[in-house]
Amino acid sequence: MKHTQSSSAPKRARTSKDCSAGHDCTDDNCSCCGDGPVQLDDQVLSQSAAVLVSMALEEIENTGDRAVVIKLFETAIEKYGDDKSMEHAWALLRFGEYAEYMEYAEKAVLLAKELNTVSDLERAQCELLESRAQVLSFCLEQSNWRDPAADDSDNDDVDEDV
């Protein structure tokens, strides 16, 4: 299923600072550069936590603008607050997977374990969430998990004696 850009797409807010065409810097917090701070407009900020998570997932699929995705996830997590739900746990896990923050995945597992999972579906979701967190943990331990071609080890998977 392909997502389309919604009319409430997150927008970057620029400051009134002089951002001339020749402006070039490496400051991560520069409001003139594309990687500058992200501010979500009021229409986006008024959305529920679940909608913000959906917007983050849609943004990953559409543009992959990392700063916007992280801001959407952060805002959603803030909105969930102390809510103890499987929805909140999944949001934490997805944020942890995207941003490679194991702490969020661990929080997701703890939250899922705190829930009184009564139905088979809830128990299955909890187990799936725990499994995905374990996979994330394993991946983060690998220095080259995002780019296997960058592996500089002397051990090759190919048997050269064949």
Side-chain angles (χ1 to χ4, degrees):
M1 180 173 135
K2 184 164 174 82
H3 295 283
T4 57
Q5 192 71 15
S6 65
S7 61
S8 61
K11 305 275 191 264
R12 285 186 182 270
R14 303 281 184 205
T15 64
S16 59
K17 183 173 142 182
D18 178 29
C19 298
S20 61
H23 177 83
D24 186 28
C25 72
T26 57
D27 180 7
D28 289 339
N29 294 317
C30 177
S31 59
C32 293
C33 297
D35 293 332
V38 173
Q39 294 178 359
L40 303 177
D41 67 21
D42 290 338
Q43 185 179 7
V44 173
L45 291 172
S46 67
Q47 301 297 319
S48 70
V51 170
L52 290 169
V53 169
S54 294
M55 290 173 72
L57 297 173
E58 184 177 315
E59 187 72 19
I60 291 168
E61 196 171 299
N62 289 333
T63 67
D65 187 334
R66 187 171 175 81
V68 172
V69 172
I70 287 176
K71 185 66 172 182
L72 286 166
F73 271 123
E74 287 174 341
T75 305
I77 300 302
E78 286 176 19
K79 283 196 172 219
Y80 277 118
D82 293 332
D83 177 43
K84 295 193 182 305
S85 67
M86 192 59 77
E87 184 179 274
H88 183 188
W90 277 108
L92 286 165
L93 179 70
R94 288 182 177 128
F95 184 30
E97 289 173 334
Y98 179 76
E100 300 178 15
Y101 294 153
M102 191 60 209
E103 298 82 25
Y104 284 105
E106 290 168 350
K107 286 180 184 180
V109 170
L110 289 174
L111 178 58
K113 285 182 178 181
E114 287 178 14
L115 300 173
N116 290 329
T117 53
V118 178
S119 72
D120 289 340
L121 175 62
E122 290 171 332
R123 280 192 294 277
Q125 284 187 357
C126 187
E127 289 174 13
L128 177 60
L129 192 139
E130 287 181 63
S131 297
R132 284 179 59 168
Q134 289 174 352
V135 168
L136 177 62
S137 175
F138 176 78
C139 289
L140 291 177
E141 290 173 5
Q142 309 304 309
S143 62
N144 67 329
W145 82 283
R146 288 277 188 197
D147 185 12
D151 188 8
D152 59 352
S153 70
D154 293 332
N155 299 335
D156 291 332
D157 291 334
V158 179
D159 188 3
E160 294 178 15
D161 294 336
V162 177

